Amino acid sequence: MTNGPAIGIHDLSFATTEFVLPHAELARHTGAELGKYHVGLGQRSMSIPAEDEDIVTMAASAAAPVVARWGADRIRTVVLATETSIDQSKAAGIYVHSLLGLPSSARVVELKQACYSATAALQFAVGMVHRDREQFVLVIATDVSRYELGSPGEATQGAAAVAMLVGADPALMRIDEPSGLCTLDVMDFWRPNYRSTALVAGRESVSAYLQALEGVWKDYTERGGRPLEEFRAFCYHQPFTKMAYKAHRHLLSFTGAEVEEERLSSALGLTTAYNEVVGNSYTASVYLALASLLDHADDLTGEAIAFVSYGSGSVAEFFCGTAVPGYREHLRTAAHRAALDRRQPIDLTAYRALHSRTFPVDGGHYPTPSQTTGAYRLASLSGHKRVYERR
Ligand code: CAA
């Protein structure tokens, strides 16, 4: 089903951090076999933010090339999706709006629902463009995933931002109807306001993801969605890339399809390249999977791509996107490669120091150490305010 005029993703760009911790370095200290990380979880390294990087600097870095290419005039709305919010009141997107010089005639808002909220933002954006086909909505998914040192979740940290421009007659991908939805009240992963690291019931969270997958597929099918065989590839939320394989295996057997290794790798193989070196970027992860697919696949024009978005707690959605003619001319493959290659490897001592840092809360003036070589940085905390600058 396509339903109505084409609306969808006009441009997509991602950014990540200054530093990267290879899992080989982590394994040397945890004593885990490297195979557990590389094969068992499907992770090779994780992006680690510098002291002067956060969700705002990553978001601005991801969105700047999009604004440079298409201009700011038609952007009427900015929706920043995150579960690593920096303020209980002010939307982080306002800092991004300012850093990018977006027009005052654009509204800015923040959305949260664990790793799902960027999908809500995308769908809301599609609805807004239906109302006014001239406008662009800038959707930015940006997150830093942090677990306790020494916890099972530690090997599944990461950080990235994905910016998507949503508009009519999209240059990359049409977003199709219907969506399959599933909301279930579960405590598989959460982060109370007073904590900087997430709490997670690891094994239960995997089961909760699979249960939600059944729910979204059932709803998608009941609403007249496509049969499974019509999808060329599946972009899953990837807290660790092996999760996509677990999920797809589960979906195939749930629908009575044959579970063959060849079928799994053809559906998923090209979607994991970025997440396996970035780590869990929470709400950005499913769109990093899309970036990986678009950047690595041969021509996908006219092909149906499935999206499975899962946010603990939980809300999930299954929907279809279709690659449009000419999409390959608009990809940012070289820039994406550069964003990964520019990261500097750090050792465990440096990683632990970054992980353990806390922000002062007394309202004094604290300049932030200058570490990032990226375009935007958190310059200081001053009078309880975050001060950002363009380098
Ligand atoms: N060679 C190959 N494979 C190995 C191995 C080796 N030497 N050693 C272990 N493995 C395999 C294990 O057999 C296991 O595979 P299966 O899952 O197929 O059984 C895999 O490596 C992982 O090993 P463990 O199950 O022992 O790992 P763990 O219990 O230490 O941690 C985890 C796994 C619970 C998922 C943990 O990483 C975690 O808590 N992660 C955070 C939560 C998470 O990501 N949940 C995902 C669903 S929720 C969600 O998606 C939202 C979100 O973003 C958080």
Side-chain angles (χ1 to χ4, degrees):
M1 235 200 283
T2 55
N3 297 6
I7 295 175
I9 304 169
H10 205 55
D11 196 359
L12 184 152
S13 153
F14 83 75
T16 181
T17 58
E18 182 69 18
F19 299 128
V20 60
L21 178 73
H23 277 78
E25 173 71 6
L26 186 65
R28 261 195 288 281
H29 296 269
T30 59
E33 280 180 39
L34 196 50
K36 171 170 173 175
Y37 297 150
H38 284 184
V39 182
L41 296 177
Q43 292 304 127
R44 304 216 145 237
S45 60
M46 50 202 196
S47 285
I48 306 289
E51 286 204 45
D52 50 352
E53 290 178 323
D54 66 5
I55 57 161
V56 168
T57 62
M58 289 193 300
S61 301
V66 173
V67 175
R69 184 183 278 177
W70 303 101
D73 298 355
R74 288 171 59 194
I75 298 176
R76 291 283 287 163
T77 303
V78 179
V79 189
L80 186 145
T82 188
E83 61 180 294
T84 28
S85 187
I86 53 164
D87 194 285
Q88 302 285 12
S89 173
K90 179 164 175 154
I94 297 180
Y95 296 109
V96 179
H97 174 278
S98 168
L99 286 168
L100 299 183
L102 299 183
S104 60
S105 56
R107 60 169 82 79
V108 181
V109 73
E110 187 167 313
L111 274 193
K112 175 180 71 186
Q113 179 14 64
C115 307
Y116 166 73
S117 63
T119 296
L122 175 62
Q123 296 291 2
F124 295 169
V126 168
M128 296 182 96
V129 174
H130 261 292
R131 197 168 84 169
D132 168 13
R133 290 177 56 82
E134 288 308 305
Q135 71 168 311
F136 282 137
V137 179
L138 179 61
V139 170
I140 310 175
T142 179
D143 264 317
V144 177
S145 151
R146 290 178 89 237
Y147 296 94
E148 294 277 355
L149 293 176
S151 70
E154 185 182 12
T156 66
Q157 298 175 114
V162 175
M164 293 180 281
L165 195 65
V166 177
D169 303 319
L172 293 183
M173 175 156 283
R174 201 178 70 214
I175 300 299
D176 299 335
E177 292 179 27
S179 274
L181 303 173
C182 181
T183 295
L184 298 166
D185 184 3
V186 287
M187 291 304 280
D188 58 330
F189 169 105
W190 68 107
R191 185 169 67 85
N193 284 348
Y194 50 84
R195 285 184 63 98
S196 67
T197 51
L199 295 165
V200 62
R203 300 284 169 91
E204 290 82 350
S205 71
V206 172
S207 312
Y209 184 132
L210 299 180
Q211 197 191 347
L213 175 59
E214 292 180 15
V216 291
W217 177 254
K218 196 165 164 289
D219 190 48
Y220 181 72
T221 307
E222 284 169 7
R223 280 162 202 281
R226 291 172 182 264
L228 211 57
E229 317 76 73
E230 284 189 15
F231 291 102
R232 171 72 184 76
F234 290 74
C235 295
Y236 280 89
H237 166 54
Q238 295 171 8
F240 48 94
T241 64
K242 200 63 179 291
M243 187 68 223
Y245 284 83
K246 279 184 195 291
H248 201 51
R249 213 173 262 124
H250 188 81
L251 183 60
L252 291 175
S253 45
F254 180 68
T255 56
E258 212 167 322
V259 184
E260 299 154 338
E261 286 310 309
E262 207 181 300
R263 190 166 176 180
L264 283 170
S265 56
S266 127
L268 306 173
L270 299 176
T271 70
T272 58
Y274 294 155
N275 283 309
E276 74 186 16
V277 294
V278 164
N280 192 356
S281 57
Y282 288 158
T283 197
S285 138
V286 65
Y287 300 102
L288 265 192
L290 171 63
S292 172
L293 175 69
L294 295 178
D295 286 348
H296 294 96
D298 290 337
D299 195 6
L300 292 169
T301 304
E303 301 277 8
I305 310 300
F307 290 81
V308 178
S309 182
Y310 174 75
S312 291
S314 71
V315 181
E317 180 161 345
F318 186 108
F319 64 99
C320 172
T322 306
V324 304
Y327 82 92
R328 297 180 92 188
E329 290 154 35
H330 302 278
L331 296 180
R332 298 178 176 278
T333 313
H336 291 162
R337 190 74 258 158
L340 297 173
D341 291 347
R342 70 173 271 274
R343 295 175 302 167
Q344 302 174 44
I346 50 172
D347 63 14
L348 198 88
T349 310
Y351 150 69
R352 287 210 163 152
L354 285 164
H355 191 284
S356 308
R357 81 188 200 279
T358 51
F359 284 119
V361 295
D362 62 8
H365 177 68
Y366 295 97
T368 315
S370 190
Q371 294 182 337
T372 183
T373 56
Y376 303 95
R377 62 180 297 269
L378 173 63
S380 63
L381 295 168
S382 193
H384 295 294
K385 295 173 197 148
R386 288 192 182 225
V387 180
Y388 292 96
E389 66 183 18
R390 211 194 129 91
R391 276 160 29 92

